[in-house]
Amino acid sequence: MYIVAYDGSQLANAALHRAATYAKQTGDDVLAVAVVPQDAEYASDKGWVVSEDDFDRESVVSELHRTAVKIAPGASFRALKTGRFPAPGEIVAKLKHAAHNEHADVVFVGSENAGRVVTPLASIGGNFASDRAFDVHIVRHAPPEIRERMPKSEFYLPD
């Protein structure tokens, strides 16, 4: 089982694409896991909504699901919920818990921070890399086919 930490960003899209490509060769299943807090400010910061007033968690989850399936049609998708104002590390903890529950062989993470410091404080990649229960594939660059086909999640594209 390949787990992808998925938030619709360009690097998460690249990580999902990479996991799906590897899965074709290995016969493994792919599960994209999105942690979506019930937090309008977080959603706005992620670019999931234009303004905090537009926030609807179910719409965000639907859009993440739609985008994930567009990139990796054979992948499964799961959205995990956190409350408003998730504690530091809570999102990573939920992703790690999902990886353990699914007995992940590899966790794919898109992380722009992973290349600068091995374990930066805010890096999801660094936090996953410290867990020895599964291998971690950190995607730091989106390949040209992802950049050209899907420059960013559809959240970021104007109507």
Side-chain angles (χ1 to χ4, degrees), residues 53 98 139:
D53 295 334
V139 177

Side-chain angles (χ1 to χ4, degrees), residues 11-130:
L11 287 175
N13 289 340
L16 181 56
H17 180 263
R18 183 92 34 93
T21 300
Y22 286 11
K24 283 181 187 176
Q25 299 301 314
T26 63
D28 284 290
D29 292 324
V30 177
L31 174 62
V33 179
V35 180
V36 181
Q38 186 63 41
D39 182 349
E41 183 179 353
Y42 183 90
S44 179
D45 289 347
K46 282 296 224 183
W48 293 340
V49 294
V50 176
S51 76
E52 292 179 28
D53 295 334
D54 298 331
F55 178 68
D56 173 51
R57 185 181 180 281
E58 294 309 312
S59 294
V60 169
V61 168
S62 293
E63 183 61 25
L64 282 170
H65 181 217
R66 191 177 72 72
T67 304
V69 169
K70 203 173 198 181
I71 294 166
S76 297
F77 177 84
R78 182 175 307 148
L80 304 176
K81 192 175 198 175
T82 65
R84 195 160 186 226
F85 310 118
E90 184 178 349
I91 290 173
V92 171
K94 286 193 171 281
L95 290 166
K96 285 173 98 172
H97 185 72
H100 284 280
N101 282 349
E102 294 295 332
H103 306 290
D105 297 307
V106 182
V107 174
F108 288 76
V109 178
S111 176
E112 60 191 21
N113 293 326
R116 286 178 268 185
V117 179
V118 175
T119 54
L121 185 60
S123 172
I124 289 178
N127 285 304
F128 270 107
S130 66

Side-chain angles (χ1 to χ4, degrees), residues 6-10 13 63-64 67 151-157:
Y6 191 72
D7 66 1
S9 66
Q10 187 176 31
N13 289 340
E63 183 61 25
L64 282 170
T67 304
K152 289 187 174 183
S153 169
E154 307 234 344
F155 285 113
Y156 301 96
L157 301 176

Side-chain angles (χ1 to χ4, degrees), residues 139-157:
V139 177
R140 295 184 296 169
H141 306 286
E145 63 268 20
I146 291 295
R147 281 196 311 265
E148 292 167 11
R149 185 177 61 153
M150 302 192 89
K152 289 187 174 183
S153 169
E154 307 234 344
F155 285 113
Y156 301 96
L157 301 176

